[in-house]
């Protein structure tokens, strides 16, 4: 789902996003509670009306002991999950809840499980998240187990508040599985969360986007392991990770398409295009002749985007429209392949077209083998590249 942290996807109106076929976006509870505040949202009739969004809305919070990305354009925007610059200096965790100090004013706020649910009820999101105690996945030791058990206790308090409010029929509460990179703690948390299945609408897999190496075995194993154990009749949401669907996850949020667009990069099925490079300055083709997005169907050229991307915000907006549609196409085709029983073939085709002969990322190959998909089947000559192996266009002497 596209990320609209503060009730807006940068550069686009709600109507533009809806016209792309998007039916679910993400808002951030923490930021909307700070600005514009619940009084404004309540007077507006909830976040849907406040931002003019007619489709589904999911709310998350920036976890108390995790990190907040500071965008070079504007603090705290365009990100819904777990990012880079620590907010822990603003936060104290107790059994009662998370005591925040506003990063804007320094004013303290105690966010309890009950209050987090009340805030999300006011926001009016269709999917709401429990308050959880989440620590960096790079942390080990007793703090991880403490956070996992507290997240279970806080879930019970969230459920009680949600059910007593009369909102359970109109807003869907998700539990969040914690436990760091410890399989035993994850299993304990899964057991507790699944025992409450009849009182939650879905599950999120949390705590796996805080700096751990994506090619690491624990990371890919735990994603697939949690997804496999969670009930099949409940949605499974991987928080803050936009590439987990192939490991058994149904939902994910990702800032990659929108943030990448602002860096001048168009996502295509043949790999990303860095349209800031001068080699595109005389390329009058659209980004993708077959793409149905407004940018491509209007025949806006790569040359025009190259000319305007560092000077005019319209170029970033055009790329944002394209990249969101690209992401929707990738997911829509994946869904269709799953329904048709051809998902492994779809993955092999996608990787072959996207990466070509430059090599597949090793972590992708290994992760998909975890769920029985061998990307190299019939493609043994394709090199496997360590690290993230991003297929990226960089500036060099031939493209400057």
């Amino acid at each position: 789902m596209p990320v609209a942290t503060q009730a807006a996807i940068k550069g686009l109106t709600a109507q533009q996003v809806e016209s792309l076929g998007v039916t679910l976006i993400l808002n951030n509870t923490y930021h909307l509670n700070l600005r514009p505040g619940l009084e404004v949202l309540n007077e507006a009739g909830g976040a849907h009306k406040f931002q003019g969004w007619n489709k589904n809305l999911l709310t998350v919070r920036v976890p108390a002991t995790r990190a907040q990305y500071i965008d070079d354009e504007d603090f705290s925007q365009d990100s819904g999950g777990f990012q880079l610059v620590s907010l822990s200096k603003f936060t104290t965790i107790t059994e009662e809840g998370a005591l925040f100090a506003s990063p804007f004013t320094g004013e303290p706020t105690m966010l309890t499980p009950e209050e987090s649910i009340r805030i999300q009820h006011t926001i009016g999101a269709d999917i709401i998240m429990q308050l959880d105690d989440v620590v960096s996945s790079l942390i080990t030791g007793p703090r991880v187990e403490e956070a996992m058990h507290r997240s279970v206790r806080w879930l019970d308090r969230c459920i009680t508040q949600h059910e007593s409010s009369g909102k359970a029929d109109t807003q869907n509460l998700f539990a969040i599985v914690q436990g760091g990179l410890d399989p035993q703690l994850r299993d304990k948390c899964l057991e507790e969360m699944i025992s409450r299945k009849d009182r939650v609408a879905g599950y999120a897999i949390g705590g796996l986007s805080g700096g751990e190496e994506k090619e690491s075995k624990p990371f890919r194993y735990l994603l697939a392991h949690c997804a496999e154990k969670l009930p099949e009749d409940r949605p499974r949401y991987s928080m803050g990770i936009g590439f987990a669907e192939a490991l058994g996850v149904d939902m994910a949020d990702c800032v990659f398409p929108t943030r990448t667009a602002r860096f001048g990069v168009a996502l295509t099925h043949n790999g990303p295009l860095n349209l800031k490079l001068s080699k595109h300055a005389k390329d009058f083709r659209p980004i993708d002749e077959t793409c149905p997005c407004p940018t491509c169907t209007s025949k806006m050229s790569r040359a025009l985007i190259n000319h305007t991307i560092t000077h005019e915000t319209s170029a970033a907006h055009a790329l944002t429209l394209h990249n969101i549609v690209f992401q929707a196409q990738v997911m829509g085709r994946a869904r269709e392949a799953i329904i048709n029983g051809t998902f492994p073939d779809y993955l092999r085709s996608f990787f072959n077209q996207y990466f070509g002969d430059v090599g597949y990322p090793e972590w992708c190959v290994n992760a998909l083998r975890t769920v029985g998909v061998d990307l190299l089947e019939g493609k043994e000559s394709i090199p496997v590249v360590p690290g993230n192996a991003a297929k990226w266009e960089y500036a060099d002497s031939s493209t400057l």
Side-chain angles (χ1 to χ4, degrees):
M1 73 197 82
V3 174
T5 297
Q6 300 201 56
I9 292 176
K10 282 189 177 179
L12 303 184
T13 67
Q15 290 72 27
Q16 285 177 303
V17 177
E18 185 175 338
S19 73
L20 301 178
V22 174
T23 58
L24 175 64
I25 63 172
L26 180 150
N27 283 179
N28 188 281
T29 304
Y30 174 76
H31 293 300
L32 292 186
N33 185 40
L34 287 176
R35 303 189 307 191
L38 297 186
E39 182 179 353
V40 172
L41 290 173
N42 198 42
E43 289 185 18
H48 286 85
K49 291 184 178 179
F50 179 69
Q51 62 196 297
W53 178 248
N54 299 315
K55 301 297 183 179
N56 296 305
L57 180 64
L58 177 149
T59 45
V60 300
R61 72 177 182 94
V62 172
T65 54
R66 289 295 287 276
Q68 168 63 37
Y69 176 83
I70 298 179
D71 194 284
D72 57 2
E73 296 179 18
D74 187 11
F75 172 68
S76 75
Q77 293 207 14
D78 193 51
S79 191
F82 317 132
Q83 300 91 33
L84 297 178
V85 181
S86 176
L87 270 180
S88 59
K89 63 183 178 181
F90 297 118
T91 311
T92 301
I93 295 291
T94 69
E95 189 62 28
E96 182 183 1
L99 181 62
F100 289 92
S102 168
F104 306 112
T105 66
E107 181 180 354
T109 301
M110 172 57 78
L111 184 65
T112 66
E114 294 80 9
E115 182 64 13
S116 74
I117 296 300
R118 284 192 287 266
I119 291 171
Q120 291 179 93
H121 285 165
T122 299
I123 291 173
D126 303 280
I127 300 173
I128 63 177
M129 296 291 143
Q130 75 156 103
L131 185 69
D132 59 332
D133 182 5
V134 54
V135 297
S136 168
S137 55
L138 303 180
I139 291 177
T140 59
R143 177 69 182 99
V144 180
E145 183 171 8
E146 173 193 2
M148 183 274 289
H149 287 298
R150 181 173 289 124
S151 293
V152 175
R153 294 192 296 272
W154 282 2
L155 172 61
D156 288 334
R157 292 167 60 184
C158 287
I159 289 173
T160 299
Q161 178 65 32
H162 186 52
E163 292 178 343
S164 65
S165 70
K167 300 281 190 178
D169 291 336
T170 57
Q171 292 180 277
N172 299 280
L173 175 63
F174 277 34
I176 303 177
V177 178
Q178 292 293 348
L181 296 180
D182 187 321
Q184 292 183 331
L185 292 182
R186 287 279 171 176
D187 278 340
K188 288 181 181 179
C189 195
L190 282 164
E191 182 179 353
E192 293 288 348
M193 299 294 190
I194 293 171
S195 72
R196 293 154 174 80
K197 172 187 170 183
D198 292 339
R199 303 180 73 185
V200 298
Y203 293 91
I205 302 170
L208 288 178
S209 58
E212 67 284 344
E213 294 294 330
K214 301 302 181 284
E215 61 264 30
S216 70
K217 184 176 180 180
F219 175 83
R220 63 177 185 267
Y221 167 79
L222 286 172
L223 265 178
H225 179 71
C226 290
E228 182 180 6
K229 286 205 166 188
L230 287 170
E232 291 187 359
D233 61 348
R234 293 291 189 276
R236 290 159 291 189
Y237 165 36
S238 179
M239 302 184 76
I241 304 170
F243 47 76
E245 291 80 359
L247 300 181
V249 170
D250 305 299
M251 303 165 54
D253 64 272
C254 187
V255 301
F256 182 71
T258 49
R259 185 170 294 152
T260 301
R262 297 198 302 277
F263 294 153
V265 175
L267 303 176
T268 80
H269 296 282
N270 295 310
L273 297 174
N274 184 352
L275 294 176
K276 286 185 176 181
L277 300 184
S278 61
K279 71 177 187 177
H280 300 292
K282 296 182 180 180
D283 190 337
F284 301 106
R285 295 174 297 169
I287 297 168
D288 183 347
E289 295 278 5
T290 65
C291 177
C293 81
T295 304
C296 292
T297 55
S298 69
K299 304 300 182 183
M300 178 180 285
S301 70
R302 301 178 187 187
L304 177 60
I305 296 173
N306 171 268
H307 173 66
T308 57
I309 189 61
T310 59
H311 308 292
E312 303 290 344
T313 59
S314 60
H317 302 169
L319 285 175
T320 299
L321 290 167
H322 169 81
N323 284 356
I324 289 176
V325 169
F326 168 82
Q327 194 83 345
Q329 281 188 318
V330 170
M331 297 311 304
R333 292 172 184 178
R335 183 183 300 112
E336 183 178 346
I338 291 170
I339 293 171
N340 294 334
T342 59
F343 191 49
D345 292 334
Y346 167 74
L347 289 171
R348 294 187 189 100
S349 174
F350 175 82
F351 272 79
N352 182 58
Q353 185 176 1
Y354 191 88
F355 289 99
D357 296 329
V358 302
Y360 295 170
E362 183 178 27
W363 71 266
C364 291
V365 173
N366 291 334
L368 289 172
R369 281 175 175 164
T370 302
V371 291
V373 178
D374 187 359
L375 290 177
L376 301 180
E377 183 178 308
K379 294 282 184 180
E380 289 77 7
S381 61
I382 296 291
V384 176
V385 184
N388 62 20
K391 180 184 177 183
W392 214 252
E393 289 189 314
Y394 294 102
D396 57 34
S397 59
S398 66
T399 57
L400 290 174

